[in-house]
Amino acid sequence: MIGTFESIIIDCPDPRALARFYSQLLGLEIVGYDEDWAEIVAEGGRRPLVAFQQVAEYNPPQWPSQSVPQQMHIDVRIDTDFDTAEAAVLALGATSAGSEHPTFRVYRDPAGHPFCLIKPND
């Protein structure tokens, strides 16, 4: 092993708003933010952290097209049915990407990054 996983940094237009979205989606705590940066971590400040950095003239991914590649995505394991989980993420500000499969569904966060809700057996 060379090192340990410390953080993932996600580009976006509004770090505070995207931190709130992922904090509610993943049950993580917002531990810091300013105008161009925000961070969330697991309870007790455990790493890795997810950070959001502001990018001027942000251009969101165009999934599934690769005209602007997705660059990264997060899989979120759910313990409920897809319809219940979908209603919850849409209420947080996500949008459906229109991709439904038996074991996962694809959404976009408020900044346009794709993420998937996946079933526990996936």
Side-chain angles (χ1 to χ4, degrees), residues 47-62:
R47 301 285 177 150
L49 68 79
V50 180
F52 307 90
Q53 68 180 0
Q54 185 177 44
V55 172
E57 300 178 32
Y58 173 74
N59 193 6
Q62 301 298 310

Side-chain angles (χ1 to χ4, degrees), residues 37-78:
W37 184 266
E39 297 176 349
I40 60 176
V41 295
E43 185 177 322
R46 290 175 296 164
R47 301 285 177 150
L49 68 79
V50 180
F52 307 90
Q53 68 180 0
Q54 185 177 44
V55 172
E57 300 178 32
Y58 173 74
N59 193 6
Q62 301 298 310
W63 188 91
S65 165
Q66 291 300 303
S67 60
V68 179
Q70 66 177 324
Q71 302 152 10
M72 67 97 202
H73 77 270
I74 294 174
D75 285 345
V76 178
R77 186 176 299 268
I78 59 171

